[in-house]
Each structure stands twice: as C-alpha cells, then as structure tokens.
Amino acid sequence: NKQFLCIPENEVRDYLTTSGTLGEPISYYLSENDVKRLSYNERQSLQICGINKGDKILLTTTIDKCFMAGLAYYLGSQELGAGVIRTGPGNIKYQWDMIERFAPNVIIVVPSFLLKMIDFANENSIDLSNISLKKAVCIGEPIRTNDLEYNSLAKEILSVMEIKLYSTYASTEMMTAFTECEFGVGGHLQEDLLYVEVLDFDDNEVESGESGEVVISTLGVESMPLLRYRTGDICTVYRDTCNC
C-alpha cells in the first residue's frame, strides 16, 4: 500500500504497521506533523474521559513493534501533562509491583488482560478494594453492547473491582480515537480530525441508532490521507449531542 504515500519517504518520521486482525498487517507512515496530530488526538481523547494534568497512567500497551496505539497514548499523555508508567503488556506480577511502587490512578489496558490481573490479585492476596487505580481506558475489545449497556466482560470486571471503565474505538488508518466520556454513551467523534459516514449495504447513511459500515475521510493527515476509506468495521451511530 505504499502507493498511498503522499510525501517523499525521506520526510517519513515514524513507520507503523496495523495489527493485521483480518490478514497481513498494513504498512503505514507518519510525517512530523502526523506525529503531532496523533499526539493531539490522544490528548483530546484522554481529556474526554476526564484524565488531566497530574494524573498517573499505567500504560500496559506496547510502544514498540511498530504499533500505533501505545505511541499515541504515550505522546498524548506527555502533551496533556500526565505521568506515564510504561509497563507494556504481559508479566502480571510486574504490573502489580509498579502499581504498588508508583500508585497510578489510571490504567490503559485490554479488558481481558485486566481480568487476568484481577485473577492474579485474588490468588496473591492483593486487596482490590485498597488500590490506587480508579479509571480504566479499555482498548482492543468492546465493553458495551449495541444498546450501550456493559457486556459480560465489563460486568465481570466490575463485579470484583471498583473502577470506572471507558470504552474506546480506533484504527491505525483513522489516526483518531473515539473515546467515551463519563456518561458512557459511546465514543465521541473528534470532528476536526475525521469525517465519518456510517453506510448501509446501498451506501446510504443509516439513521441515528442504526448500524452500518464505518467509512472515514481523514482531516489534516499528510503522509497517507484517506478519502471515503471503507474500514470494514460495523458500528451503531448516535447523532445526538452528548450531555458532556
């Protein structure tokens, strides 16, 4: 997909690949301004879910392996003025050691991995009612049903841990994240970064509350701008303004 590259390669500042969920990973490229845009995107996303300067974030997402999400969260946290504990994925004992050492109040985590951390805590006499974590930004897996209720994964976490869960949705090609606010009624569109259509099988916009394919046009991207790019993702769209 290098044919999509719209700048000379000597102006590329970061090389990425997608996770390859449905096949071979896709190569992706960022210019200097794209890196700044990515940082701005994630700062805005973190602020949407009430994370502010001075908060401490346990980042369990890798920032290596050419992966965008971890880089975005790190850059956005720095721009926001939040502290970051870069534990990365895996090694559950290490996660709890760092929680005890630095007392983060936010964790960025795949929800099923958070469940594994809970199991480890229960097996090792870690008191979940007396930990510093208050918010979890959940990535990679849904925590809500189509009617915006918590799904079984979220309910299992909340049954044993007093923590506020925030759902997110994003993809490398968007370079933009949809993050929930405190009202928990879906990920919020950052209108200055992305133009979104949600289309039915006949390429017509679906009504509010209905589902369709997410089709995106990126705004402000230099390296690989996309126009009406079909993501293959299906979402339910709500067009009302959120109470936040």
Side-chain angles (χ1 to χ4, degrees), residues 28-30 34-35 37-38 41 68 171-177 193-194 218 221 223-224:
Y28 210 78
Y29 308 83
L30 302 182
D34 291 340
V35 173
R37 181 189 180 280
L38 185 67
N41 150 73
M68 176 180 276
S171 71
T172 300
E173 296 94 326
M174 291 179 187
M175 288 180 57
T176 310
L193 297 180
L194 201 65
T218 55
V221 172
S223 54
M224 293 181 71

Side-chain angles (χ1 to χ4, degrees), residues 4-59:
F4 284 82
L5 185 62
C6 292
I7 60 173
E9 191 165 354
N10 64 6
E11 292 183 14
V12 172
R13 292 297 174 266
D14 199 82
Y15 292 81
L16 300 159
T17 61
T18 63
S19 54
T21 305
L22 297 178
E24 283 294 314
I26 294 171
S27 302
Y28 210 78
Y29 308 83
L30 302 182
S31 69
E32 181 179 354
N33 284 332
D34 291 340
V35 173
K36 292 176 181 177
R37 181 189 180 280
L38 185 67
S39 176
Y40 168 81
N41 150 73
E42 210 58 64
R43 185 197 77 188
Q44 297 289 98
S45 296
L46 293 171
Q47 287 181 314
I48 286 170
C49 54
I51 299 170
N52 298 297
K53 181 178 181 179
D55 284 329
K56 284 188 278 186
I57 301 171
L58 189 76
L59 182 58

Side-chain angles (χ1 to χ4, degrees), residues 202-217:
D202 297 317
D203 290 341
N204 297 314
E205 285 268 7
V206 302
E207 298 295 326
S208 184
E210 295 182 351
S211 299
E213 182 179 9
V214 181
V215 178
I216 58 125
S217 297

Side-chain angles (χ1 to χ4, degrees), residues 152-200:
S152 57
L153 178 57
K155 288 178 180 177
E156 191 172 354
I157 293 169
L158 295 172
S159 68
V160 291
M161 192 175 190
E162 189 173 340
I163 193 168
K164 178 72 173 175
L165 303 180
Y166 294 87
S167 177
T168 64
Y169 161 61
S171 71
T172 300
E173 296 94 326
M174 291 179 187
M175 288 180 57
T176 310
F178 293 78
T179 307
E180 279 186 338
C181 73
E182 61 182 300
F183 291 98
V185 290
H188 288 29
L189 169 63
Q190 299 189 55
E191 293 179 318
D192 56 338
L193 297 180
L194 201 65
Y195 183 80
V196 177
E197 300 165 89
V198 182
L199 306 181
D200 63 18

